[in-house]
């Protein structure tokens, strides 16, 4: 009993033919796609963190300059927000019918907040104190009060209580802090990155710092919000630049892969065509295809070696075929 073996005609294949050039282009494109996607994600994450770090520095410089003395030199004794005035305002200021106050110290503080806004247009500054309840703060002044016709849905009036997610505000009564999704973090923490959060007034990136009187006692705090619109614009600008750069580079690499694949597969295509002609007995045509490969004799590689082996094989096959033909002629004569 003999075992049946499936055979295929010479030169035939069960599978669908896909050229080596196509495989190289697809393979390299997939590799570049994975590499570019990973790199793009890294740059995306880096860009977001870098944007937030820049905003963190801007917030810190603004809020420190508005609440601390001595930041310029030893003779710098001017504090932008007067802690003594704020202490008196908190103690004696009365709310009038429209929710504001006639106390001149309030309007002096509003002017300071407006000046901060002029110097740093991204900033929305306001002042507050701790409320009577454990999680309550009371707004004192907001820069919006100096506008000709302020929208009080976006700004707070004098002595307005607030008790939603005030943990970072209360922490700001002791030290400079930045608000995060999980609460707050301090400037001295190298891992501290402020995050965008939302409240009834909008979406913000915020920092808080204590306001002290001439005795060094905390009498309130300054909060500064950067609207998330600005943050999103910074991130979008960075990501847009990265996207353009990556797109151009990706297209150039794909084009390069195409031409490199053509260059690498051209000798293989030539060898295949030569083999097909030789298989049909057209030795001269096959050798002509081999001579047209344009391979380098000075810097040979595997293709050159394969061409030499192929030529040797052709020579041996040709000689063997000629010997067989002579034998056939001799047999016919006999």
């Amino acid at each position: 009993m003999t075992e049946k073996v499936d055979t295929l005609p010479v030169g035939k294949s069960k599978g669908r033919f896909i050229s080596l050039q196509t495989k190289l282009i697809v393979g390299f494109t997939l590799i570049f796609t994975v590499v570019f996607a990973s790199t793009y994600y890294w740059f995306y994450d880096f860009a977001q963190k870098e944007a937030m770090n820049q905003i963190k520095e801007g917030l810190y410089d603004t809020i420190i300059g508005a609440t601390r003395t001595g930041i310029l030199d030893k003779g710098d004794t001017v504090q932008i927000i007067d802690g003594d005035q704020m202490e008196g305002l908190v103690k004696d200021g009365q709310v009038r019918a429209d929710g504001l106050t006639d106390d001149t110290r309030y309007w002096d503080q509003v002017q300071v907040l407006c000046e901060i806004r002029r110097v740093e247009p991204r900033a929305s500054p306001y002042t507050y104190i701790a409320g009577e309840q454990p999680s309550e703060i009371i707004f004192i002044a907001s820069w919006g009060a100096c506008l000709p016709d302020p929208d009080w849905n976006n700004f707070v009036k004098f002595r307005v209580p607030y008790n939603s997610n005030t943990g970072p505000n209360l922490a700001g009564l002791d030290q400079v802090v930045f608000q995060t999704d999980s609460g707050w973090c301090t400037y001295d923490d190298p891992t501290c990155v402020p995050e965008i959060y939302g409240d009834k007034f909008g979406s913000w990136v915020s920092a808080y710092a204590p306001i002290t009187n001439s005795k060094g006692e905390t009498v309130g705090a300054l909060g500064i919000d950067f609207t998330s619109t600005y943050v999103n614009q910074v991130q979008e600008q960075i990501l847009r630049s990265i996207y353009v750069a990556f797109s151009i580079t990706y297209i150039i690499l794909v084009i390069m892969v195409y031409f490199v694949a053509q260059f690498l597969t051209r000798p293989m295509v030539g060898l295949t065509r030569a083999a097909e002609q030789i298989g049909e007995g057209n030795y001269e045509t096959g050798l002509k295809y081999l001579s047209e490969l344009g391979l380098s004799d000075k810097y040979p590689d595997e293709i050159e070696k394969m061409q030499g082996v192929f030529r040797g094989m052709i020579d041996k096959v040709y000689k063997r075929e000629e010997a067989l033909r002579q034998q056939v002629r001799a047999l016919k004569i006999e």
Side-chain angles (χ1 to χ4, degrees):
M1 181 177 181
T2 59
E3 183 180 357
K4 184 179 179 181
V5 180
D6 292 334
T7 60
L8 290 171
V10 177
K12 301 296 183 179
S13 174
K14 288 182 177 180
R16 182 178 180 181
F17 175 78
I18 301 176
S19 68
L20 180 60
Q21 179 179 336
T22 301
K23 291 180 180 179
L24 285 173
I25 293 174
V26 172
F28 278 110
T29 301
L30 289 175
I31 291 172
F32 281 129
T33 299
V34 173
V35 172
F36 268 69
S38 302
T39 308
Y40 180 83
Y41 175 79
W42 183 86
F43 269 103
Y44 177 85
D45 185 64
F46 173 79
Q48 285 189 314
K49 290 181 179 178
E50 186 64 22
M52 295 307 297
N53 281 329
Q54 292 180 9
I55 292 168
K56 172 184 175 182
E57 294 299 325
L59 269 171
Y60 181 79
D61 292 342
T62 302
I63 206 164
I64 287 298
T67 57
R68 290 188 184 179
T69 60
I71 62 173
L72 299 179
D73 52 46
K74 293 182 179 179
D76 174 24
T77 59
V78 178
Q79 189 169 3
I80 295 179
I81 296 180
D82 192 316
D84 292 331
Q85 277 194 355
M86 183 167 183
E87 186 176 24
L89 173 63
V90 170
K91 181 179 179 181
D92 304 323
Q94 300 295 318
V95 182
R96 67 189 188 194
D98 61 357
L100 299 176
T101 180
D102 293 321
D103 196 307
T104 57
R105 291 169 293 191
Y106 171 84
W107 295 104
D108 288 343
Q109 190 172 113
V110 167
Q111 290 302 316
V112 172
L113 297 178
C114 289
E115 189 62 28
I116 296 173
R117 173 75 176 192
R118 291 190 187 96
V119 174
E120 178 51 87
R122 300 172 296 177
S124 293
Y126 58 91
T127 57
Y128 62 92
I129 60 174
E132 297 180 357
Q133 303 299 322
S135 61
E136 183 183 62
I137 63 171
I138 297 175
F139 291 113
I140 299 299
S142 170
W143 77 274
C146 67
L147 296 174
D149 186 21
D151 181 4
W152 292 110
N153 292 321
N154 297 320
F155 301 104
V156 290
K157 296 183 178 182
F158 182 54
R159 287 191 178 277
V160 176
Y162 188 74
N163 58 7
S164 176
N165 192 27
T166 57
N169 299 79
L170 295 173
L173 292 164
D174 299 320
Q175 58 185 327
V176 179
V177 299
F178 299 93
Q179 185 154 340
T180 65
D181 285 339
S182 58
W184 51 271
C185 60
T186 63
Y187 177 79
D188 296 332
D189 182 0
T191 63
C192 177
V193 178
E195 298 174 358
I196 297 175
Y197 72 96
D199 59 18
K200 67 179 184 180
F201 300 106
S203 297
W204 315 94
V205 177
S206 300
Y208 312 94
I211 298 172
T212 57
N213 59 18
S214 57
K215 299 178 182 179
E217 301 169 339
T218 299
V219 296
L222 171 66
I224 294 182
D225 300 331
F226 278 7
T227 177
S228 64
T229 302
Y230 167 75
V231 179
N232 294 333
Q233 288 175 350
V234 172
Q235 293 177 341
E236 289 175 3
Q237 182 179 2
I238 295 174
L239 293 176
R240 192 181 304 112
S241 300
I242 294 175
Y243 178 77
V244 172
F246 270 64
S247 298
I248 295 174
T249 306
Y250 186 82
I251 293 172
I252 292 174
L253 283 175
V254 170
I255 295 174
M256 290 177 61
V257 166
Y258 173 77
F259 285 107
V260 170
Q262 275 196 328
F263 176 77
L264 293 176
T265 57
R266 187 172 60 85
M268 300 300 298
V269 173
L271 287 173
T272 302
R273 295 172 66 186
E276 290 175 348
Q277 292 298 321
I278 292 168
E280 297 295 332
N282 302 321
Y283 292 97
E284 292 183 1
T285 306
L287 291 173
K288 179 184 177 182
Y289 284 145
L290 286 178
S291 64
E292 292 175 351
L293 295 180
L295 301 176
S296 174
D297 295 329
K298 190 174 181 180
Y299 301 103
D301 56 20
E302 289 80 1
I303 300 296
E304 280 79 4
K305 291 183 178 180
M306 185 166 63
Q307 182 199 30
V309 173
F310 198 63
R311 284 181 178 275
M313 181 185 68
I314 293 171
D315 185 59
K316 291 178 181 179
V317 171
Y318 181 74
K319 290 179 178 179
R320 190 176 298 128
E321 188 173 322
E322 284 297 316
L324 288 173
R325 287 174 180 171
Q326 291 177 4
Q327 292 178 5
V328 169
R329 292 193 194 101
L331 287 173
K332 285 183 178 180
I333 293 173
E334 292 178 358

